[in-house]
């Protein structure tokens, strides 16, 4: 298991509260009631932003009023989107306390606090009773999880029978050896990638079935191309992934794109079931 303080330092990259406040002030979004859509440029903390969240949502069998767990919820952007879109209740947990604080503030200003609750927690030891949730998902988190079998077995344990588990990740490609620094790790110390075959094996081992996997490399390459080569005519937007990821976000995104192109990494989406 990685040191929790290292994870907070990596993900927040300095005073994230001030960076977010400054960007929100410049965007004229402070002290206002907002729609969740106004926060999409800043609260979807993964490559491809809201498009990736929508894609995963299209594959998740969420029903109205269900209770859903978001493991590694970040700033709660995906949770707010799914709660609104599917009219469900979402509990999010994340190991980075500052993300949870900002995320709950975003819940308040978008009037979503009655639908989405974010808490500090570690996906490798979930603080919930067995069979609590109708479904669970985890977007771009597992790359940081050294105890992958434990992480999957915890997701399985807290799901009700018939529940689903969905996640997106960058797996290890056939060539291996990704180029650091990456969006999820500056060095090998925080990166624990597995080939998709091994991921499937572990999911089955902990009890999941009906496992469906889709490779998404091409979508990520074009998403990273747009992010790292914006039109020269366009000014850098005030709100964007750079506010959260800091100055090195561009270099880390370029490395992630190259890693996919060179088959060092392989992004994919998985949906499976607890029967
Ligand atoms: C790329 S961000 C994704 C955030 C969010 N899922 C999203 O898509 O907007 C990865 C997140 O995983 C969280 N994380 C990393 N290791 C974790 C762990 N063991 N338990 C819970 N969260 C973790 C980080 O704090 C970070 O918020």
């Amino acid at each position: 298991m990685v040191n929790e303080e290292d994870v907070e330092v990596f993900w927040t990259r300095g005073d994230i509260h001030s960076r977010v406040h400054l960007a929100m002030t410049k965007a004229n979004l402070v002290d206002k009631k907002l729609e969740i859509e106004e926060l999409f440029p800043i609260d979807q903390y993964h490559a491809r932003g809201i498009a990736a969240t929508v894609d995963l949502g299209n594959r998740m069998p969420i029903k109205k009023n269900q209770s859903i767990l978001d493991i590694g919820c970040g700033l709660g952007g995906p949770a707010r989107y799914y709660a609104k879109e599917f009219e469900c209740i979402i509990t999010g947990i994340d190991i980075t306390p500052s993300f949870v604080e900002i995320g709950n503030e975003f819940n308040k200003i978008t009037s979503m606090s009655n639908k989405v609750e974010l808490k500090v927690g570690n996906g490798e030891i979930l603080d919930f009773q067995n069979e609590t949730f109708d479904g669970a998902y985890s977007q771009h988190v597992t790359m940081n999880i050294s105890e992958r079998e434990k992480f999957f077995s915890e997701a399985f344990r807290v799901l009700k029978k018939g529940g689903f588990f969905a996640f997106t990740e960058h797996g290890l490609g056939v060539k291996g050896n990704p180029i650091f620094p990456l969006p999820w790790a500056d060095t090998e110390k925080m990166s624990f990638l597995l080939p998709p075959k091994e991921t499937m094996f572990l999911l089955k081992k902990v009890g999941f079935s009906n496992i469906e996997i889709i490779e998404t490399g091409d979508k990520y390459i074009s998403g990273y191309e747009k992010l790292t080569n914006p039109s020269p005519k366009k000014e850098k937007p005030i709100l964007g992934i750079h506010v959260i990821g800091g100055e090195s976000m561009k270099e880390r995104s370029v490395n992630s794109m190259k890693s996919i192109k060179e088959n060092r990494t392989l992004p994919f989406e998985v949906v499976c079931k607890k029967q």
Side-chain angles (χ1 to χ4, degrees):
M1 204 178 286
V2 292
N3 179 319
E4 292 188 9
E5 271 175 33
D6 290 348
V7 179
E8 163 88 15
V9 168
F10 172 81
W11 284 106
T12 54
R13 313 188 89 82
D15 186 355
I16 189 172
H17 288 273
S18 298
R19 288 203 308 280
V20 169
H21 186 72
L22 186 65
M24 295 284 286
T25 306
K26 281 188 187 163
N28 196 21
L29 294 178
V30 171
D31 294 333
K32 284 183 178 167
K33 284 282 172 209
L34 303 178
E35 298 298 323
I36 64 163
E37 291 76 9
E38 292 177 89
L39 294 174
F40 287 170
I42 197 173
D43 70 5
Q44 308 286 322
Y45 195 33
H46 50 255
R48 295 182 58 236
I50 186 65
T53 302
V54 170
D55 279 357
L56 188 65
N58 286 338
R59 298 197 54 216
M60 291 196 287
I62 305 182
K63 297 195 184 89
K64 192 171 171 177
N65 294 328
Q66 280 189 329
S67 180
I68 307 293
L69 177 65
D70 181 337
I71 310 171
C73 59
L75 305 154
R80 280 182 292 279
Y81 169 76
Y82 296 136
K84 183 174 172 190
E85 180 69 18
F86 299 111
E87 298 179 59
C88 60
I89 304 294
I90 304 202
T91 304
I93 63 116
D94 198 286
I95 205 166
T96 303
S98 303
F99 280 3
V100 169
E101 287 158 21
I102 296 169
N104 279 324
E105 195 51 40
F106 283 173
N107 287 340
K108 270 191 217 150
I109 60 179
T110 54
S111 311
M112 291 296 286
S113 300
N114 59 342
K115 292 268 182 193
V116 176
E117 185 188 11
L118 312 181
K119 300 173 181 182
V120 176
N122 185 341
E124 292 173 58
I125 331 158
L126 291 174
D127 194 13
F128 300 103
Q129 305 273 325
N130 295 351
E131 305 193 10
T132 302
F133 297 99
D134 299 296
Y137 65 88
S138 188
Q139 264 195 291
H140 291 288
V141 176
T142 36
M143 296 88 76
N144 285 143
I145 305 299
S146 58
E147 312 257 352
R148 195 70 74 89
E149 185 175 336
K150 176 84 178 128
F151 182 93
F152 288 154
S153 71
E154 280 293 270
F156 188 84
R157 180 182 68 73
V158 301
L159 282 176
K160 294 176 191 167
K161 287 206 177 75
F164 72 88
F165 178 47
F167 64 99
T168 51
E169 71 169 32
H170 294 256
L172 196 64
V174 283
K175 289 230 173 100
N177 208 11
I179 306 162
F180 290 97
L182 283 160
W184 61 90
D186 283 334
T187 66
E188 279 172 357
K189 223 174 113 188
M190 265 181 63
S191 184
F192 306 97
L193 307 188
L194 294 180
K197 251 193 186 169
E198 206 168 321
T199 298
M200 304 281 276
F201 171 80
L202 291 177
L203 287 168
K204 278 185 201 148
K205 188 172 174 199
V206 306
F208 284 112
S209 57
N210 300 66
I211 306 169
E212 290 171 12
I213 181 165
I214 296 186
E215 292 182 12
T216 49
D218 290 342
K219 285 184 179 178
Y220 279 85
I221 290 172
S222 68
Y224 280 126
E225 263 159 6
K226 274 190 209 137
L227 182 73
T228 56
N229 283 318
S231 152
K233 285 183 202 144
K234 273 195 187 162
E235 270 182 44
K236 194 173 184 177
I238 298 169
L239 297 185
I241 202 163
H242 58 277
V243 177
I244 312 298
E247 288 301 311
S248 63
M249 199 65 220
K250 185 167 177 185
E251 179 196 2
R252 294 189 284 135
S253 301
V254 168
N255 287 345
S256 190
M257 178 172 66
K258 275 193 200 155
S259 295
I260 302 169
K261 283 184 177 171
E262 294 174 14
N263 295 317
R264 297 164 184 270
T265 58
L266 176 69
F268 56 87
E269 283 170 13
V270 173
V271 181
C272 53
K273 280 233 153 178
K274 173 172 178 172
Q275 296 286 17

